[in-house]
């Protein structure tokens, strides 16, 4: 009922022990009330945070670092709505937000896409009937193009320079219309995209070719809620799920170094496609010859039972939140 946005300090790395382990508790710096469930959020810059609400409203909060307070900096009321913006109960959940300062793109249950600018009162652009089903997530492909995923298993590319309100490309999972919940693009090779959805499968797409995924990888036993390439080390990918697992997918493995048996600690090595072309040219994510290479998959929280709802990753740090109402920070991803 009572929701809040909180800013935490996960502590000073200067306090780390000899082995890099961190001593000290995360500190709550400040928090502020939020109307509706928080569906998604992303920093716009060092001080501002964009938050998507289940009420359909999108808010920019400012973090004042001098006195550690949060304030609502700007609000787009009912950016997403079902009937019309004026009905009191007409709001539709804003399910996803992505920022490329000063631009902010939002998607929602109403199938709408909004393009906002941080300094402008009204939307720069709205695609009203972008989708006939719920849009679950959005990310930037390039500065002028976005990717969305929807509840009938489609991945769509939108060119924001085009005035027409149709996607420039549509990709879809073959056969079953499995809802897709999350999407991320490879940080260096922008044609490689990963998505996850209701069946827990990880799909890898090459948007230069075909309209179907280049590989479908068996992953979780329930909905996949989030997928992230490591921003500076994209041979590593992270996914989390309703089934309580958080998987680290590592394609940087050199076959000669790794024996192909089950490792202690719940690690397993899955054979994965690969092509014979030079590794630096073709990403391991787009491979197609299972005998050539493999991938190591580790469940980073083997005994967790409650849903892992969200994750983010930066440098050696992984942060994730679960239905236990807890936030976890792992500082030794590559230890």
């Amino acid at each position: 009922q009572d929701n809040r946005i909180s800013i935490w300090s996960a502590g000073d790395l200067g306090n780390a022990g000899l082995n890099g382990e961190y001593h000290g508790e995360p500190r709550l710096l400040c928090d502020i009330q939020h109307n509706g469930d928080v569906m998604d959020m992303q920093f716009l810059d060092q001080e501002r945070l964009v938050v998507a609400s289940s009420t359909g409203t999108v808010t920019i909060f400012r973090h004042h670092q001098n006195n550690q307070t949060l304030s609502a900096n700007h609000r787009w009321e009912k950016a997403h709505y079902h009937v019309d913006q004026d009905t009191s109960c007409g709001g539709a959940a804003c399910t996803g937000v992505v920022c490329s300062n000063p631009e902010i793109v939002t998607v929602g249950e109403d199938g709408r896409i909004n393009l906002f600018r941080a300094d402008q009162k009204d939307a720069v652009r709205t695609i009203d009937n972008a989708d006939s089903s719920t849009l679950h997530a959005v990310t930037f492909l390039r500065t002028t193009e976005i990717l969305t995923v929807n509840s009938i298993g489609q991945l769509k590319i939108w060119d924001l320079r085009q005035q027409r309100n149709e996607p420039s490309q549509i990709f879809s999972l073959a056969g079953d219309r499995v809802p897709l919940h999350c999407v991320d693009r490879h940080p260096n090779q922008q044609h490689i995209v990963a998505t996850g959805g209701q069946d827990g499968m990880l799909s890898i797409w090459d948007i230069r070719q075909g309209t179907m995924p280049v590989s479908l990888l068996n992953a979780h036993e329930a909905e996949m809620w989030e997928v992230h390439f490591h921003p500076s080390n994209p041979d590593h990918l992270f996914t989390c799920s309703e089934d309580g697992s958080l998987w680290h997918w590592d394609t940087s493995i050199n076959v000669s170094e790794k024996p192909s048996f089950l490792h202690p600690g719940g690690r397993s090595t899955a054979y994965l496609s690969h092509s014979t072309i030079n590794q630096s040219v073709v990403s391991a994510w787009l491979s197609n010859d299972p005998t050539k290479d493999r991938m190591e998959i580790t469940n980073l929280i083997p005994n967790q039972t409650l849903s892992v709802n969200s994750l983010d990753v930066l440098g050696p740090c992984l942060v994730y939140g679960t239905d236990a109402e807890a936030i976890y920070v792992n500082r030794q991803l590559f230890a």
Side-chain angles (χ1 to χ4, degrees), residues 77-96:
E77 296 283 351
K78 292 213 189 116
H80 295 273
Y81 54 91
H82 282 305
V83 190
D84 59 72
Q85 267 174 308
D86 306 327
T87 353
S88 59
C89 57
C94 177
T95 50

Side-chain angles (χ1 to χ4, degrees), residues 10 40 42 44 73 84 184 193 215 239 276 284 305 316 319 333-334:
D40 197 8
Q42 194 175 47
L44 177 68
N73 182 240
D84 59 72
D184 196 27
V193 173
S215 57
T239 59
T276 48
T305 51
V319 59
L333 268 189
F334 304 114

Side-chain angles (χ1 to χ4, degrees), residues 52-304:
S53 170
S54 59
T55 63
T57 294
V58 177
T59 310
I60 303 180
F61 290 97
R62 186 180 287 277
H63 175 211
H64 305 274
Q65 294 172 9
N66 50 1
N67 60 357
Q68 291 304 345
T69 56
L70 272 169
S71 65
N73 182 240
H74 189 82
R75 193 172 272 132
W76 290 283
E77 296 283 351
K78 292 213 189 116
H80 295 273
Y81 54 91
H82 282 305
V83 190
D84 59 72
Q85 267 174 308
D86 306 327
T87 353
S88 59
C89 57
C94 177
T95 50
V97 56
V98 67
C99 305
S100 174
N101 194 7
E103 303 197 309
I104 299 161
V105 175
T106 70
V107 296
E109 271 179 12
D110 52 358
R112 257 185 200 83
I113 298 174
N114 291 306
L115 172 62
F116 295 111
R117 265 200 200 98
D119 47 10
Q120 293 185 17
K121 188 162 106 31
D122 297 319
V124 178
R125 171 99 189 267
T126 295
I127 305 177
D128 270 330
N129 301 308
D131 214 299
S132 55
S133 61
T134 296
L135 289 167
H136 281 145
V138 59
T139 192
F140 275 98
L141 184 57
R142 297 182 185 79
T143 47
T144 55
E145 285 182 302
I146 55 166
L147 289 164
T148 59
V149 290
N150 69 13
S151 58
I152 55 169
Q154 292 174 321
L155 170 68
K156 297 183 181 181
I157 300 180
W158 304 82
D159 186 338
L160 297 172
R161 292 164 305 189
Q162 299 286 341
Q163 280 316 301
R164 53 198 194 93
N165 293 339
E166 266 88 49
S168 50
Q169 276 176 282
I170 300 179
F171 303 83
S172 55
L173 296 169
D176 302 338
R177 300 193 152 207
V178 179
L180 291 173
H181 291 305
C182 51
V183 57
D184 196 27
R185 113 174 131 62
H186 192 289
N188 313 336
Q189 299 181 27
Q190 298 183 333
H191 54 277
I192 302 174
V193 173
T195 64
Q198 190 162 313
D199 57 1
M201 297 274 279
L202 172 65
S203 308
I204 305 291
W205 313 70
D206 181 347
I207 60 171
R208 299 169 306 182
Q209 53 184 359
T211 57
M212 286 162 63
V214 287
S215 57
L216 284 170
L217 300 164
N218 270 315
H220 303 280
E221 288 165 21
E223 291 92 343
M224 184 189 296
W225 291 130
E226 194 118 44
V227 57
H228 277 296
F229 285 102
H230 191 286
S232 53
N233 202 345
D235 286 344
H236 299 265
L237 178 99
F238 299 85
T239 59
C240 64
S241 167
E242 180 71 27
D243 68 8
S245 60
L246 193 161
W247 284 16
H248 173 185
W249 307 70
D250 179 2
T251 61
S252 67
I253 309 288
N254 181 339
V255 177
S256 59
E257 293 171 13
K258 298 272 182 180
S260 62
F261 49 80
L262 287 177
H263 298 271
R267 297 181 170 212
S268 64
T269 306
Y271 281 88
L272 188 79
S273 41
H274 208 312
S275 75
T276 48
I277 314 170
N278 182 339
Q279 167 71 37
S280 64
V281 180
V282 171
S283 167
W285 294 111
L286 298 184
S287 45
N288 53 12
D289 179 354
T291 57
K292 285 269 169 16
D293 203 2
R294 50 183 161 235
M295 169 191 290
E296 190 172 64
I297 301 161
T298 313
N299 182 5
L300 297 179
I301 38 174
N303 304 318
Q304 160 81 3

